[in-house]
Amino acid sequence: MKPNDLPIKDYQSLEFAYQPSPEQQASAPVFYPVVIVGAGPVGLSLAIDLAQRGIKVLLLDNDHKLSTGSRAICFAKRTLEIFDRLGCGDAMVRKGVSWNLGRVYFKDALVYSFDLLPEHGHERPAFINLQQYYVEGFLAERAFELPNIEIRWRNTVVGVETAADATTLTVDTPSGPYRLKAGWLAACDGSRSAVRSLMGLEARGRVFHDRFLIADVTMDADFPCERRFWFDPPFHPRQSALLHKQADGVWRIDFQLGWDADPEAERMPERIVPRVRALLDSIGAASVQFEIVWASVYTFACQRMDRFRHGRVLFAGDSAHGVSPFGARGANSGVQDAENLAWKLALVLQGGASDALLDSYASEREAAADENILHSTRATDFITPKSEVSRLFRDAVLELAREHAFARRIVNSGRLSVPALLRNSPLNTPDVDAFDGGLAPGAPAADAPLLHAGESTWLLRELGADFTLLVFGPSPAWTGFCRVGFSPRGAASNEDTAWAEAHPTELGPTLKTLCIDADEFTDRDGLAAQRYAAQPGTAYLIRPDQHVCARWRAPSEAAVRAALVRACHPEGGTRC
């Protein structure tokens, strides 16, 4: 049964069966090239991406069901584009509530509204709101379709022993413990990561002394599909509130409570109902009836691990970094971690790069985490002023923002998630040609509507699974050159090498050429050329995770080869 065919309560109670593994009786640990711990959105995304690239994956999860309650609900345009590539984006967008607009209020008056995607010509909206259990359900459904993925539910990692050639895990199950060996271990097991703890590692940062109530309520209300955020509203004075629509007629309401609030008491219906009623009364919905379906009180911290790579163990998502919920940067950045890691790990396992490529995963995503933490910390400080002086400043800014655009840039109800710009990536080739605008190396590729054989399509849909040379004009004659590969020099363990020999593949990534305004693809509205600042002959080299790594006005074969080598071998590899 598919997630969108299931009623909300039945879907949340869905359980996956535990199956004992035959290797629990094995005399020695069985080797797996990749083991992922944690079957949430990050772990499932990583498993699917690797499986689609031909890598066998073992996915372990200590639970046997999907998330309870809405949890992460705001999934950004870039994340939806990743889900498209993983094969489940359409289903999520159909089920979710799409939105681009937001409104900010101070006390009982509108301060301003904003549009997160004011320009036309994008396949996906700025955001959809979709409960996390649906996102996990669609990802799990896709994972079940892929023979390269094995998922083991109720398999809890209780021991981690690292070595130069593999990591040995001790796994506890209802049938007893067993051991296995992972060529590469990806820890996607959340903010309370067992893998991180078992390795004696920690995330450092700032804990915020405040509490927030999340209430999921069902109601038949015809409010517009937009984000509403209140500072110091009459229905919840000196605090903040947030209202979002989700799938199934469920509305997500967040109430700031203050650090002294009793978490247990605030979860009780007798506390929640008056708060929701007051909010509805204040927006002219006194007649609307509602029902509480889930509630939680949370605190949060902005923190990260010092390093996301520790030898053959790689950390992604909340196990590596944590942010406040303001701005929807948690799950979105975690899925982008997975996309960044998947193609690099696959290339290393297939013999196309040394494991030095994985250092770029760490450096790129550590920088992205720093950016997210900075935005998240600033938003939290603005939303929850810790002194009267800070409150006076915030309130003055909000008053000014009603009339003055400059003040709106200071208002911070959560800078909403955008993909990281990998400006300082070692995989980038610096510009040698002049560009007035467009997408610099490190930027995520931009979408645009195209025509293919008279049929509508989208630029991002047409990018290759590996590298793509996007050319504005006819294909250069030399674009059929061979793959760029690498013969590892001591980077692979004996077990890695044995696995690669048993699963032969042509070394290196493929290069797809996508030509616009040539024989096959037409820039339907001229938006592709506009967004890429393209002239006839302009070309962009786009990575498997759809980030630009090089661009030229008229590329030569040698320049493209060199950029492709640099993107795969930042340590200075060789061409095969």
Side-chain angles (χ1 to χ4, degrees), residues 16-345:
F16 301 100
Y18 164 73
Q19 296 290 341
S21 170
E23 70 198 43
Q24 291 182 247
Q25 308 303 320
S27 58
V30 176
F31 176 81
Y32 292 86
V34 178
V35 176
I36 300 172
V37 180
V42 179
L44 284 164
S45 295
L46 178 58
I48 294 166
D49 208 338
L50 286 167
Q52 290 183 166
R53 297 179 185 282
I55 304 299
K56 289 189 176 295
V57 176
L58 175 62
L59 179 56
L60 307 177
D61 195 86
N62 62 357
D63 207 345
H64 63 294
K65 55 185 181 296
L66 304 178
S67 293
T68 302
S70 59
R71 299 186 183 274
I73 66 164
C74 294
F75 291 89
K77 180 179 183 290
R78 179 65 204 131
T79 304
L80 299 177
E81 292 161 354
I82 295 170
F83 289 152
D84 283 338
R85 198 173 48 73
L86 300 184
C88 46
D90 286 340
M92 291 186 189
V93 173
R94 283 196 302 268
K95 186 66 180 177
V97 174
S98 297
W99 65 277
N100 297 322
L101 300 176
R103 300 184 188 276
V104 176
Y105 298 83
F106 180 44
K107 298 187 184 297
D108 59 352
L110 176 68
V111 177
Y112 67 95
S113 59
F114 57 86
D115 188 341
L116 294 170
L117 195 63
E119 59 181 19
H120 72 285
H122 293 271
E123 181 181 12
R124 293 310 184 200
F127 281 88
I128 65 166
N129 288 347
L130 184 63
Q131 296 91 318
Q132 184 171 322
Y133 48 80
Y134 277 125
V135 171
E136 291 179 4
F138 286 119
L139 288 168
E141 182 181 84
R142 175 61 179 147
F144 296 150
E145 296 172 351
L146 299 172
N148 280 336
I149 299 176
E150 179 186 354
I151 304 179
R152 295 182 186 174
W153 306 101
R154 300 177 71 185
N155 275 241
T156 304
V157 175
V158 295
V160 178
E161 303 167 37
T162 60
D165 61 346
T167 299
T168 302
L169 302 179
T170 302
V171 183
D172 197 19
T173 75
S175 304
Y178 70 101
R179 287 158 64 83
L180 60 85
K181 295 183 75 173
W184 295 93
L185 174 64
C188 306
D189 52 343
S191 60
R192 297 182 177 88
S193 171
V195 174
R196 188 181 66 210
S197 177
L198 290 165
M199 291 179 64
L201 303 171
E202 61 181 350
R204 297 184 178 89
R206 176 181 170 189
V207 177
F208 289 86
H209 290 162
D210 212 328
R211 301 188 196 278
F212 291 80
L213 167 71
I214 299 174
D216 284 355
V217 302
T218 55
M219 55 184 173
D220 291 324
D222 59 356
F223 307 141
C225 298
E226 58 189 23
R227 180 185 194 258
R228 297 195 198 185
F229 193 99
W230 288 268
F231 291 96
D232 194 11
F235 60 82
H236 195 49
R238 293 185 68 81
Q239 306 287 8
S240 63
L242 176 66
L243 177 67
H244 266 300
K245 185 178 182 180
Q246 306 175 75
D248 299 322
V250 178
W251 293 78
R252 164 80 165 266
I253 308 175
D254 291 45
F255 292 100
Q256 182 187 358
L257 300 175
W259 182 242
D260 295 331
D262 182 339
E264 294 301 321
E266 294 294 347
R267 274 196 290 263
M268 303 303 292
E270 55 265 31
R271 294 284 186 94
I272 299 173
V273 169
R275 296 189 193 281
V276 176
R277 183 78 273 160
L279 184 154
L280 293 175
D281 290 351
S282 75
I283 59 176
S287 62
V288 172
Q289 301 302 306
F290 63 90
E291 178 184 354
I292 301 167
V293 295
W294 178 74
S296 178
V297 174
Y298 66 89
T299 59
F300 56 86
C302 290
Q303 58 188 15
R304 77 165 175 91
M305 298 178 66
D306 292 337
R307 293 181 291 118
F308 293 178
R309 180 186 178 188
H310 290 261
R312 287 179 167 265
V313 184
L314 301 133
F315 291 84
D318 286 353
S319 72
H321 49 78
V323 293
S324 80
F326 307 118
R329 291 175 177 267
N332 287 293
S333 62
V335 172
Q336 291 165 38
D337 288 349
E339 184 186 46
N340 187 294
L341 176 57
W343 72 270
K344 296 173 181 178
L345 184 54

Side-chain angles (χ1 to χ4, degrees), residues 368-415:
D370 288 341
E371 180 179 315
N372 285 324
I373 288 169
L374 176 63
H375 285 297
S376 185
T377 300
R378 287 175 174 172
T380 304
D381 286 339
F382 194 86
I383 293 167
T384 63
K386 298 303 186 287
S387 69
E388 280 306 307
V389 171
S390 296
R391 183 178 294 276
L392 286 170
F393 170 79
R394 185 200 69 180
D395 292 354
V397 168
L398 289 165
E399 291 283 4
L400 286 168
R402 289 194 177 109
E403 301 293 336
H404 302 285
F406 82 88
R408 293 172 194 166
R409 293 192 293 271
I410 307 173
V411 173
N412 197 333
S413 64
R415 295 280 188 265

Side-chain angles (χ1 to χ4, degrees), residues 507-525:
L507 289 179
T510 57
L511 179 68
K512 174 180 179 177
T513 303
L514 174 61
C515 298
I516 296 180
D517 284 340
D519 293 336
E520 289 191 90
F521 291 94
T522 302
D523 188 1
R524 191 186 73 190
D525 301 327

